[in-house]
Amino acid sequence: MSLTAETLYNDGPLVPKQVAERWGCSERHVRNLIRSGHLGHFRLGGRLLRIPASAVEEYERCQIQNSSLDGSRTDGSSHGGKTAR
């Protein structure tokens, strides 16, 4: 199932697997974002993680803003780091 803006709000809170599929990353990455406080969440019954659609959209909005502020390049090259010699 593809998570569009419509299904994001109509289906209620998301599980880490759904967010990972939306972002094309691993569930572990989503859980790390939760653990570090970068992605809002709540727990059902003390164990089950749920991520509100609003938290997903807020995180995405922040990522877009940060990438435009830091001058991220659209050609896939980076500004620094190690290069092959």
Side-chain angles (χ1 to χ4, degrees), residues 4 20 28 38 41 43-45 48 61 65 68 72 78-79:
T4 64
R28 173 63 45 207
H38 290 100
H41 71 287
R43 290 190 180 269
L44 292 175
L48 302 175
R61 209 172 12 260
Q65 287 174 349
S68 65
S72 292
S78 67
H79 287 288

Side-chain angles (χ1 to χ4, degrees), residues 1-20:
M1 175 178 91
S2 175
L3 291 173
T4 64
E6 291 173 13
T7 59
L8 194 60
Y9 278 103
N10 292 337
D11 292 342
L14 305 167
V15 296
K17 181 178 181 178
Q18 291 172 305
V19 177

Side-chain angles (χ1 to χ4, degrees), residues 29-57:
H29 180 68
V30 173
R31 291 176 186 277
N32 287 340
L33 289 172
I34 289 169
R35 190 174 301 113
S36 67
H38 290 100
L39 181 61
H41 71 287
F42 63 93
R43 290 190 180 269
L44 292 175
R47 286 190 48 90
L48 302 175
L49 278 174
R50 295 297 182 262
I51 303 148
S54 59
V56 172
E57 288 193 337

